[in-house]
């Protein structure tokens, strides 16, 4: 299961890099056409915005996977070890619960926009909103895997290595 997750996160990382490169090219084209040719392109602005939204959503599961998110290390280090491990597990379970709620909300949003199109690119708007569904499903997968791993370590009596140490 973790090998599949490792592969998916690597693919998402590659997709994020490609989207960033495309966004830079789109914005450069927009600047070039607007200020040099005096004929702005409408599709470059819209596609760069869509790619930006997808990049923001897809970066969330990658950050959780790499454990590069913000944490209150001062508070965490002040808590004794058995309690710290339990709190970390409970926080991760809460993140999974929120991601499930996020997924449900995003699917509901997609269902409400099935017949709507964007104005410039003439693309179904659900492609934009599906970024949230994909990201929330990946967050559920990543954090559920971490919860299982943390519970297994807690039962075995290993110390929790939370944060950027792993």
């Amino acid at each position: 299961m973790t090998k599949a997750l490792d592969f998916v996160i690597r693919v998402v990382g590659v997709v994020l890099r490609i989207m960033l490169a495309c966004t830079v090219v789109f914005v450069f084209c927009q600047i070039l056409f607007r200020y040099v040719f005096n004929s702005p392109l409408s599709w470059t602005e819209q596609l760069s915005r869509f790619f930006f939204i997808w990049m923001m959503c897809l970066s969330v599961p990658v950050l959780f996977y790499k454990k590069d998110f913000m944490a209150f290390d001062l508070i965490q280090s002040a808590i004794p070890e058995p309690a710290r491990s339990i709190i970390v597990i409970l926080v991760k379970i809460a993140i999974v619960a929120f991601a499930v709620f996020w997924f449900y909300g995003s699917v509901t949003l997609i269902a409400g926009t099935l017949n709507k199109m964007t104005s410039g690119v003439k693309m179904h708007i659900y492609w934009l909103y599906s970024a949230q569904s994909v990201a929330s499903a990946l967050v559920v997968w990543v954090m559920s895997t971490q919860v299982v791993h943390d519970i297994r370590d807690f039962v075995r009596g290993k110390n929790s290595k939370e944060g950027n140490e792993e």
Side-chain angles (χ1 to χ4, degrees):
M1 181 86 147
T2 56
K3 287 186 180 189
L5 181 59
D6 295 342
F7 176 75
V8 168
I9 294 296
R10 256 186 274 126
V11 168
V12 169
V14 169
V15 168
L16 286 169
R17 288 177 186 96
I18 291 169
M19 291 176 110
L20 179 62
C22 289
T23 302
V24 169
V25 170
F26 294 156
V27 171
F28 178 76
C29 287
Q30 176 67 6
I31 292 169
L32 182 71
F33 276 81
R34 178 179 302 264
Y35 294 108
V36 175
F37 301 122
N38 291 323
S39 177
L41 303 171
S42 62
W43 63 270
T44 56
E45 184 270 330
Q46 198 167 41
L47 278 181
S48 63
R49 185 180 336 134
F50 289 175
F51 276 23
F52 183 75
I53 291 168
W54 269 91
M55 286 187 294
M56 293 303 101
C57 287
L58 288 179
S59 64
V60 172
V62 173
L63 290 175
F64 277 127
Y65 176 81
K66 293 182 177 184
K67 298 182 181 177
D68 283 342
F69 49 86
M70 286 179 39
F72 293 105
D73 292 332
L74 183 63
I75 296 171
Q76 187 176 349
S77 61
I79 300 172
E81 179 48 44
R84 182 181 329 146
S85 296
I86 292 170
I87 290 171
V88 165
I89 291 169
L90 291 176
V91 166
K92 288 181 179 181
I93 290 171
I95 291 170
V96 170
F98 173 76
V100 168
F101 175 72
W102 183 23
F103 181 79
Y104 174 76
S106 64
V107 169
T108 304
L109 182 64
I110 290 169
T113 60
L114 287 178
N115 296 327
K116 296 184 179 172
M117 303 281 283
T118 61
S119 60
V121 184
K122 299 296 182 204
M123 184 173 70
H124 286 283
I125 198 80
Y126 61 77
W127 286 110
L128 175 63
Y129 293 142
S130 62
Q132 295 182 47
S133 298
V134 172
S136 59
L138 287 173
V139 168
V140 168
W141 188 10
V142 166
M143 296 310 287
S144 297
T145 304
Q146 289 183 14
V147 166
V148 169
H149 179 74
D150 288 350
I151 291 173
R152 187 180 61 224
D153 286 350
F154 181 74
V155 169
R156 290 180 182 167
K158 293 182 181 177
N159 287 339
S160 172
K161 293 182 180 174
E162 190 57 26
N164 295 329
E165 296 175 334
E166 280 188 12

